Amino acid sequence: MASKDEVKQMLRTIERECLYTSGLTGIKKFQKRVMEAMVEVLREKFVPDHMKPFAYDNGPLPIGNGQTISQPYIVALMTDLLLPEQNDVILEVGAGSGYQAAILSKLVKQIYTIEIIPALAKQAQDRLTKLGLKNIEVCQGDGYYGLPQHGPFDGIIVTAAASHVPPLLIEQLKPGGRLVIPVGLPHSLQYLMLIEKDQKGEVTYREILAVAFVPLTGAGHG
Ligand code: SAM
């Protein structure tokens, strides 16, 4: 079990990194409810047993199948950028361990998360069900195409780096919606982008921060 000190330390590190990067992100402090969700969801529940001693370190950790659970600061930043609201329906591409979806489950009405690796999709669904998080549905498939049957969405978060912004994800965003996505090639410069669709359907793009993500595979690869 996590000690309160470990979780507190993780929060302090996130707050410090938020401040260091505020010149780039424009964010000096993450929303209170986002930070509360980061406390409520115990990261140790989402990492393999041999990684539990490192669960509250501010770094990515391996989760098997060559994939990772993202760094806590990045999870907090991406969640904050979405501006999640209580009645939102959100799509996540890249369920991985299920951690990001679990954080969002505390902040919005419903999350659909899609994972391309069948073993990870099953593991994430089993874990989230066991944790009693009923407002998350894990789907297996290629998130490049989104999930049109459940859209349009108030927000979309992509947790693997795409070579370009998938057009169908923009299509599946509601007017007023936000898409947070790392864009760039593997082992090369990637930027976390915030894409906003206004009420008239006009789309604007903003580079937030240089990041390093595992690649989006499937149709969005390369
Ligand atoms: N959000 C995850 C979490 O909280 O643990 C971390 C995601 S990990 C950095 C990226 C995930 O995206 C991997 O599990 C990977 O298999 C998945 N992925 C890569 N390409 C995908 C695609 N085209 N569709 C759906 N999932 C994809």
Side-chain angles (χ1 to χ4, degrees), residues 63 67-70 75 92-101 114-117 120 141-144 159-160 213-220:
I63 56 169
Q67 301 304 320
T68 55
I69 179 173
S70 303
V75 173
E92 179 192 25
V93 175
S97 68
Y99 179 63
Q100 173 73 73
I114 180 160
E115 170 56 52
I116 203 163
I117 299 177
L120 288 181
D142 187 347
Y144 181 80
T159 62
F213 273 82
V214 294
L216 192 74
T217 56

